[in-house]
């Protein structure tokens, strides 16, 4: 499942990054950084809850580049939450590696078997993973992050003193990898962003329910 999650991350991280929408102006704040992900609530005009605070972050406390960084952070957290939600549900529903893997051990040296992890909830299963396994997951994630830091539009930048990802507005969540040639539209960007937001709430509630039984007020399907 870890390998599948990493592959899924790479294939989904291609280009569903927020695109800069035309900037609006207001007499109070001057140039206004648009909040990508705003949704029509009761009317045709999009509404973004907390928009005034966004203006403070981009105009009073930071700049337009601050807004790009915040959007990228939300996008990445949403992607991680979506992968986590799928993995959590798979574990809860019994689609675990002890049922599909030809090997019975996660770690022979530590004596950890897949069936040991399947017998407990996902939070407890994660705690049973040896430090070497956590290191491997961290290394896989770090490789993706380093790739974005050092590449622009899918190409390694060698003639710059500062890595592209460390420049202002350099981190966008788009690593320029789109092997399926999917057309990236604003509708698809918005769908990914909103699904990521829902997944962040979902995974937080599931973890809270397993760590503190009864914390989640609604019945779960397992």
């Amino acid at each position: 499942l870890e390998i599948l999650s990493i592959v899924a991350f790479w294939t989904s991280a291609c280009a569903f990054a927020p695109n800069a929408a035309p900037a609006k102006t207001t007499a109070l704040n001057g140039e206004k950084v648009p909040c990508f992900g705003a949704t029509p609530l009761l009317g045709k005009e999009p509404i973004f809850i907390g928009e005034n605070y966004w203006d403070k972050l981009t105009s009073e406390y930071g700049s337009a580049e601050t807004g790009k960084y915040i959007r990228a952070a939300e996008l990445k957290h949403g992607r991680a939450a979506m992968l986590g939600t799928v993995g959590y549900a798979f574990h809860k529903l019994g689609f675990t590696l002890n049922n599909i893997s030809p090997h019975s051990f996660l770690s022979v040296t530590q004596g950890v078997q897949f069936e040991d992890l399947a017998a407990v909830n996902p939070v407890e299963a994660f705690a049973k993973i040896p430090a070497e396994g956590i290191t491997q997951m961290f290394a896989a994630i770090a490789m993706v992050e380093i790739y974005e830091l050092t590449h622009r539009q899918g190409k390694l930048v060698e003639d710059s003193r500062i890595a592209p990802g460390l420049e202002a507005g350099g981190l966008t969540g788009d690593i320029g990898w789109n092997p399926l040639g999917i057309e990236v539209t604003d509708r698809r960007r918005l769908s990914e962003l909103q699904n990521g937001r829902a997944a962040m709430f979902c995974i937080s509630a599931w973890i809270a329910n397993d760590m503190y039984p009864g914390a989640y007020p609604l019945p779960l399907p397992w």
Side-chain angles (χ1 to χ4, degrees):
L1 184 58
E2 294 166 10
I3 296 174
L4 292 177
S5 298
I6 293 169
V7 173
F9 178 86
W10 271 93
T11 55
S12 66
C14 56
F16 293 163
N19 199 21
K24 298 182 289 183
T25 58
T26 169
L28 293 177
N29 298 323
E31 186 173 356
K32 182 178 178 182
V33 179
C35 300
F36 188 86
T39 357
L41 193 59
L42 299 176
K44 294 183 179 179
E45 287 298 318
I47 297 175
F48 190 92
I49 298 174
E51 190 165 357
N52 291 332
Y53 294 100
W54 179 273
D55 293 341
K56 283 183 176 293
L57 289 170
T58 56
S59 301
E60 186 175 338
Y61 304 138
S63 64
E65 307 304 335
T66 309
K68 291 180 181 179
Y69 178 82
I70 295 172
R71 281 198 298 263
E74 181 185 26
L75 185 66
K76 289 186 176 185
H77 280 84
R79 287 171 177 166
M82 286 188 283
L83 289 173
T85 301
V86 172
Y88 213 95
F90 272 35
H91 185 105
K92 285 288 191 177
L93 296 174
F95 299 107
T96 49
L97 286 174
N98 62 304
N99 294 322
I100 60 175
S101 174
H103 306 286
S104 59
F105 279 87
L106 169 69
S107 173
V108 176
T109 56
Q110 301 291 330
V112 180
Q113 293 183 295
F114 289 125
E115 60 181 18
D116 297 332
L117 305 184
V120 296
N121 67 50
V123 175
E124 294 171 339
F126 184 82
K128 289 178 176 290
I129 298 176
E132 294 82 357
I134 303 295
T135 303
Q136 290 175 36
M137 289 187 280
F138 179 84
I141 296 169
M143 287 173 60
V144 178
E145 294 296 322
I146 292 172
Y147 182 92
E148 184 182 1
L149 282 171
T150 57
H151 287 67
R152 182 182 290 129
Q153 296 180 347
K155 295 181 179 179
L156 177 65
V157 177
E158 300 178 344
D159 56 351
S160 176
R161 292 180 58 192
I162 302 176
L166 297 179
E167 296 175 355
L171 291 177
T172 62
D174 179 7
I175 63 174
W177 199 66
N178 190 4
L180 299 179
I182 299 173
E183 181 184 1
V184 183
T185 63
D186 281 348
R187 180 177 179 83
R188 283 177 172 164
R189 289 191 183 95
L190 182 59
S191 296
E192 183 188 29
L193 198 58
Q194 291 182 333
N195 282 312
R197 290 168 179 166
M200 285 188 278
F201 278 106
C202 178
I203 195 66
S204 298
W206 286 358
I207 291 175
N209 185 72
D210 275 339
M211 292 186 69
Y212 306 98
Y216 192 71
L218 299 177
L220 295 174
W222 40 74

